Amino acid sequence: MADKRKFEQPGVDSNTVAELSKKLLEANAKLQEAELERKLMLENISHDLRAPLTAIRSAIDYIKSKEEGSGTSPEELGDMLRLIDNRAQTLEVLVQDLYYLTCIENGRDELKLQRVPIAQFLEEYFFAAQIDDRYAKRNLICEIPEDYDKEVQIDVGKMSRVLDNLFTNARKYSEEGADIELGVDTNSDSAVFYVRDTGIGIPEDAIEHIFDRTFRVSGARTPDGERSSGLGLSIVKSITAQHGGRIWCESTLGKGSCFYVELPTNA
Ligand code: ADP
């Protein structure tokens, strides 16, 4: 006769149950945090979209109201067109950055990885920046030792976007003649590069928030002639995380900031 198997309830001790409940609670807290961040982002973005749209609407209404009377003078029309153009560019930057960020975060934008010596990648970026007019009034410095031979697996386009955003900020938040330095940390086992500036710096209590979506240092305004979505550093953080790396910032108000990007060398 075949053996009858007796069902035995697996023994679960109270420690395992407590551990599982703790993990569930932690996961729940994380979800709630992410949900709150998403809501805040939507609120901020709706606010940021509204301002340029209101300006564009007012300019159009003004031109239309004049059409019914004596019409707009060529000067007035020129002014209104410039205003519309300017605010439309602000909208474009915001929408493009938002699209880019959501694509990365939804995992729709896969990395096209290639193995490269990090020094070569950084130097090529630096040479391009040197001949870029936007940096003509900054003092660009490259601090990469000749024998720095670490290799990384990166999506060159995306990692260039990281450098673009860090360089753009270094320029945006500094005065003419400020230093912008690109270098590597030779004391680290992994590949660590940094972008350092001698700009306005960031208040200590704001540093932990600057990578949040749409966070701006309170009271800080976008410098004249610059466009800002408030998403630049979130994009940088997402791309770095996609590469299995991390980013952090050290800054002293009034002296300058340094952004470090760490990438695994064995990926
Ligand atoms: P933004 O489009 O506003 O520049 P970012 O996400 O790139 O958005 O940066 C967030 C905020 O962090 C900026 O608004 C600015 O206050 C601060 N910040 C970023 N980079 C620097 C820097 N190099 N120096 C000083 N402040 C900076």
Side-chain angles (χ1 to χ4, degrees):
M1 212 170 72
D3 274 358
K4 273 201 180 154
R5 285 192 185 210
K6 242 172 92 186
F7 174 74
E8 275 182 24
Q9 193 161 0
V12 183
D13 67 45
S14 55
N15 280 347
T16 318
V17 173
E19 184 65 21
L20 282 173
S21 314
K22 193 172 154 240
K23 282 200 175 133
L24 265 176
L25 284 173
E26 279 170 6
N28 196 25
K30 269 196 186 145
L31 269 177
Q32 282 183 359
E33 213 175 282
E35 182 57 20
L36 184 71
E37 207 201 327
R38 203 162 282 278
K39 279 188 186 151
L40 269 176
M41 179 178 84
L42 272 179
E43 208 176 291
N44 287 339
I45 297 226
S46 319
H47 176 267
D48 285 0
L49 286 173
R50 212 173 316 144
L53 272 177
T54 308
I56 291 173
R57 167 56 49 213
S58 309
I60 292 172
D61 285 347
Y62 180 78
I63 296 169
K64 271 164 79 180
S65 73
K66 285 277 183 155
E67 253 172 28
E68 285 153 18
S70 53
T72 9
S73 68
E75 291 79 38
E76 265 182 331
L77 199 58
D79 286 347
M80 292 295 143
L81 273 179
R82 265 189 296 281
L83 187 138
I84 292 173
D85 183 35
N86 185 291
R87 298 301 192 276
Q89 283 183 40
T90 305
L91 283 177
E92 276 159 16
V93 168
L94 187 58
V95 173
Q96 269 166 19
D97 279 1
L98 190 59
Y99 181 69
Y100 196 86
L101 186 63
T102 33
C103 280
I104 301 171
E105 294 194 343
N106 293 343
R108 249 182 290 144
D109 211 12
E110 286 194 2
L111 295 179
K112 295 176 192 72
L113 290 176
Q114 68 188 92
R115 197 164 189 88
V116 292
I118 186 83
Q120 182 191 325
F121 166 73
L122 295 172
E123 276 160 8
E124 279 172 13
Y125 187 88
F126 184 80
F127 294 138
Q130 271 186 317
I131 50 167
D132 185 333
D133 281 349
R134 289 176 305 159
Y135 300 108
K137 294 188 175 136
R138 299 292 182 275
N139 180 32
L140 296 188
I141 303 162
C142 189
E143 279 294 340
I144 304 173
E146 265 181 33
D147 59 354
Y148 193 80
D149 58 2
K150 290 209 157 64
E151 290 197 351
V152 285
Q153 288 247 83
I154 53 168
D155 181 317
V156 170
K158 292 235 168 59
M159 206 42 74
S160 301
R161 174 75 191 247
V162 166
L163 283 172
D164 274 343
N165 287 10
L166 295 179
F167 264 66
T168 301
N169 280 349
R171 177 182 56 77
K172 249 170 38 177
Y173 302 107
S174 67
E175 304 282 336
E176 270 186 42
D179 291 347
I180 301 179
E181 181 179 317
L182 176 63
V184 289
D185 178 0
T186 48
N187 295 318
S188 176
D189 285 339
S190 36
V192 177
F193 67 83
Y194 64 81
V195 177
R196 173 178 291 137
D197 65 67
T198 53
I200 61 173
I202 301 167
E204 207 182 327
D205 58 349
I207 294 180
E208 62 173 313
H209 300 293
I210 52 173
F211 298 100
D212 296 351
R213 298 169 187 148
T214 74
F215 175 86
R216 293 195 181 99
V217 173
S218 120
R221 41 179 227 105
T222 308
D224 288 343
E226 300 287 356
R227 317 238 159 257
S228 152
S229 68
L231 295 173
L233 287 178
S234 306
I235 291 176
V236 165
K237 188 177 170 188
S238 290
I239 296 177
T240 309
Q242 236 188 341
H243 282 82
R246 66 187 183 108
I247 176 160
W248 69 98
C249 167
E250 290 169 4
S251 184
T252 310
L253 198 58
K255 293 227 160 87
S257 312
C258 188
F259 288 84
Y260 295 90
V261 175
E262 179 180 48
L263 296 172
T265 45
N266 54 354

